[in-house]
PDB file of all heavy atoms in Angstrom:
ATOM      1  N   GLU B  34     -40.771  11.827  15.598  1.00 91.00           N
ATOM      2  CA  GLU B  34     -41.839  11.715  16.610  1.00 91.00           C
ATOM      3  C   GLU B  34     -43.001  11.021  16.036  1.00 91.00           C
ATOM      4  O   GLU B  34     -43.491  11.419  14.942  1.00 91.00           O
ATOM      5  CB  GLU B  34     -42.266  13.164  17.102  1.00 91.00           C
ATOM      6  CG  GLU B  34     -41.209  13.822  17.957  1.00 91.00           C
ATOM      7  CD  GLU B  34     -41.620  15.073  18.460  1.00 91.00           C
ATOM      8  OE1 GLU B  34     -42.945  15.305  18.640  1.00 91.00           O
ATOM      9  OE2 GLU B  34     -40.860  15.951  18.830  1.00 91.00           O
ATOM     10  N   ALA B  35     -43.558  10.071  16.665  1.00 92.00           N
ATOM     11  CA  ALA B  35     -44.666   9.291  16.198  1.00 92.00           C
ATOM     12  C   ALA B  35     -45.898  10.055  16.053  1.00 92.00           C
ATOM     13  O   ALA B  35     -46.659  10.020  14.978  1.00 92.00           O
ATOM     14  CB  ALA B  35     -44.980   8.093  17.168  1.00 92.00           C
ATOM     15  N   ALA B  36     -46.234  10.967  16.969  1.00 92.00           N
ATOM     16  CA  ALA B  36     -47.421  11.774  16.833  1.00 92.00           C
ATOM     17  C   ALA B  36     -47.413  12.672  15.605  1.00 92.00           C
ATOM     18  O   ALA B  36     -48.402  12.840  14.865  1.00 92.00           O
ATOM     19  CB  ALA B  36     -47.547  12.702  18.102  1.00 92.00           C
ATOM     20  N   SER B  37     -46.274  13.293  15.279  1.00 92.00           N
ATOM     21  CA  SER B  37     -46.200  14.116  14.124  1.00 92.00           C
ATOM     22  C   SER B  37     -46.422  13.307  12.840  1.00 92.00           C
ATOM     23  O   SER B  37     -47.125  13.747  11.920  1.00 92.00           O
ATOM     24  CB  SER B  37     -44.786  14.733  13.997  1.00 92.00           C
ATOM     25  OG  SER B  37     -44.537  15.548  15.139  1.00 92.00           O
ATOM     26  N   MET B  38     -45.815  12.145  12.742  1.00 93.00           N
ATOM     27  CA  MET B  38     -45.994  11.256  11.595  1.00 93.00           C
ATOM     28  C   MET B  38     -47.469  10.793  11.447  1.00 93.00           C
ATOM     29  O   MET B  38     -47.937  10.887  10.383  1.00 93.00           O
ATOM     30  CB  MET B  38     -45.042  10.109  11.694  1.00 93.00           C
ATOM     31  CG  MET B  38     -45.102   9.258  10.449  1.00 93.00           C
ATOM     32  SD  MET B  38     -44.462  10.038   8.954  1.00 93.00           S
ATOM     33  CE  MET B  38     -42.696  10.050   9.250  1.00 93.00           C
ATOM     34  N   VAL B  39     -48.016  10.352  12.550  1.00 94.00           N
ATOM     35  CA  VAL B  39     -49.422   9.953  12.482  1.00 94.00           C
ATOM     36  C   VAL B  39     -50.369  11.095  12.021  1.00 94.00           C
ATOM     37  O   VAL B  39     -51.259  10.946  11.211  1.00 94.00           O
ATOM     38  CB  VAL B  39     -49.869   9.331  13.819  1.00 94.00           C
ATOM     39  CG1 VAL B  39     -51.424   9.062  13.812  1.00 94.00           C
ATOM     40  CG2 VAL B  39     -49.049   8.011  14.007  1.00 94.00           C
ATOM     41  N   ALA B  40     -50.103  12.289  12.573  1.00 94.00           N
ATOM     42  CA  ALA B  40     -50.949  13.504  12.242  1.00 94.00           C
ATOM     43  C   ALA B  40     -50.773  13.801  10.760  1.00 94.00           C
ATOM     44  O   ALA B  40     -51.781  14.125  10.132  1.00 94.00           O
ATOM     45  CB  ALA B  40     -50.576  14.624  13.175  1.00 94.00           C
ATOM     46  N   ALA B  41     -49.528  13.820  10.315  1.00 95.00           N
ATOM     47  CA  ALA B  41     -49.363  14.151   8.914  1.00 95.00           C
ATOM     48  C   ALA B  41     -49.911  13.212   7.947  1.00 95.00           C
ATOM     49  O   ALA B  41     -50.603  13.538   6.984  1.00 95.00           O
ATOM     50  CB  ALA B  41     -47.798  14.292   8.731  1.00 95.00           C
ATOM     51  N   ILE B  42     -49.732  11.932   8.192  1.00 95.00           N
ATOM     52  CA  ILE B  42     -50.297  10.879   7.297  1.00 95.00           C
ATOM     53  C   ILE B  42     -51.773  10.858   7.296  1.00 95.00           C
ATOM     54  O   ILE B  42     -52.408  10.823   6.233  1.00 95.00           O
ATOM     55  CB  ILE B  42     -49.736   9.496   7.731  1.00 95.00           C
ATOM     56  CG1 ILE B  42     -48.249   9.499   7.522  1.00 95.00           C
ATOM     57  CG2 ILE B  42     -50.408   8.359   6.829  1.00 95.00           C
ATOM     58  CD1 ILE B  42     -47.719   9.680   6.138  1.00 95.00           C
ATOM     59  N   VAL B  79     -41.463  14.821   7.178  1.00 91.00           N
ATOM     60  CA  VAL B  79     -41.651  14.868   8.691  1.00 91.00           C
ATOM     61  C   VAL B  79     -40.436  14.104   9.394  1.00 91.00           C
ATOM     62  O   VAL B  79     -39.906  14.571  10.344  1.00 91.00           O
ATOM     63  CB  VAL B  79     -42.951  14.092   9.058  1.00 91.00           C
ATOM     64  CG1 VAL B  79     -42.934  13.740  10.511  1.00 91.00           C
ATOM     65  CG2 VAL B  79     -44.108  14.900   8.664  1.00 91.00           C
ATOM     66  N   LEU B  84     -40.433  17.577  12.321  1.00 88.00           N
ATOM     67  CA  LEU B  84     -41.592  18.490  12.561  1.00 88.00           C
ATOM     68  C   LEU B  84     -42.307  18.197  13.817  1.00 88.00           C
ATOM     69  O   LEU B  84     -42.356  16.988  14.303  1.00 88.00           O
ATOM     70  CB  LEU B  84     -42.509  18.464  11.429  1.00 88.00           C
ATOM     71  CG  LEU B  84     -42.015  18.924  10.084  1.00 88.00           C
ATOM     72  CD1 LEU B  84     -43.008  18.784   9.012  1.00 88.00           C
ATOM     73  CD2 LEU B  84     -41.512  20.387  10.153  1.00 88.00           C
ATOM     74  N   ASN B  85     -42.909  19.201  14.443  1.00 89.00           N
ATOM     75  CA  ASN B  85     -43.735  19.006  15.649  1.00 89.00           C
ATOM     76  C   ASN B  85     -45.144  18.597  15.151  1.00 89.00           C
ATOM     77  O   ASN B  85     -45.343  18.383  13.937  1.00 89.00           O
ATOM     78  CB  ASN B  85     -43.814  20.255  16.507  1.00 89.00           C
ATOM     79  CG  ASN B  85     -44.304  21.470  15.766  1.00 89.00           C
ATOM     80  OD1 ASN B  85     -44.835  21.321  14.656  1.00 89.00           O
ATOM     81  ND2 ASN B  85     -44.140  22.619  16.314  1.00 89.00           N
ATOM     82  N   LEU B  86     -46.103  18.428  16.127  1.00 89.00           N
ATOM     83  CA  LEU B  86     -47.355  17.962  15.752  1.00 89.00           C
ATOM     84  C   LEU B  86     -48.115  18.850  14.867  1.00 89.00           C
ATOM     85  O   LEU B  86     -48.682  18.418  13.858  1.00 89.00           O
ATOM     86  CB  LEU B  86     -48.222  17.808  17.059  1.00 89.00           C
ATOM     87  CG  LEU B  86     -49.510  17.146  16.970  1.00 89.00           C
ATOM     88  CD1 LEU B  86     -49.401  15.745  16.431  1.00 89.00           C
ATOM     89  CD2 LEU B  86     -50.224  17.093  18.335  1.00 89.00           C
ATOM     90  N   VAL B  87     -48.161  20.125  15.104  1.00 92.00           N
ATOM     91  CA  VAL B  87     -48.847  21.057  14.231  1.00 92.00           C
ATOM     92  C   VAL B  87     -48.205  21.139  12.853  1.00 92.00           C
ATOM     93  O   VAL B  87     -48.869  21.218  11.835  1.00 92.00           O
ATOM     94  CB  VAL B  87     -48.978  22.467  14.857  1.00 92.00           C
ATOM     95  CG1 VAL B  87     -49.606  23.512  13.935  1.00 92.00           C
ATOM     96  CG2 VAL B  87     -49.716  22.358  16.197  1.00 92.00           C
ATOM     97  N   GLY B  89     -46.515  18.825  11.307  1.00 91.00           N
ATOM     98  CA  GLY B  89     -46.897  17.606  10.540  1.00 91.00           C
ATOM     99  C   GLY B  89     -48.288  17.631  10.049  1.00 91.00           C
ATOM    100  O   GLY B  89     -48.528  17.298   8.858  1.00 91.00           O
ATOM    101  N   LEU B  90     -49.204  18.224  10.814  1.00 92.00           N
ATOM    102  CA  LEU B  90     -50.574  18.238  10.433  1.00 92.00           C
ATOM    103  C   LEU B  90     -50.753  19.199   9.197  1.00 92.00           C
ATOM    104  O   LEU B  90     -51.397  18.908   8.207  1.00 92.00           O
ATOM    105  CB  LEU B  90     -51.407  18.722  11.655  1.00 92.00           C
ATOM    106  CG  LEU B  90     -52.966  18.653  11.462  1.00 92.00           C
ATOM    107  CD1 LEU B  90     -53.403  17.100  11.357  1.00 92.00           C
ATOM    108  CD2 LEU B  90     -53.579  19.259  12.663  1.00 92.00           C
TER     109      LEU B  90
END
Side-chain angles (χ1 to χ4, degrees):
E34 290 185 23
S37 301
M38 184 65 75
V39 170
I42 297 298
V79 167
L84 296 178
N85 60 11
L86 186 63
V87 175
L90 191 67

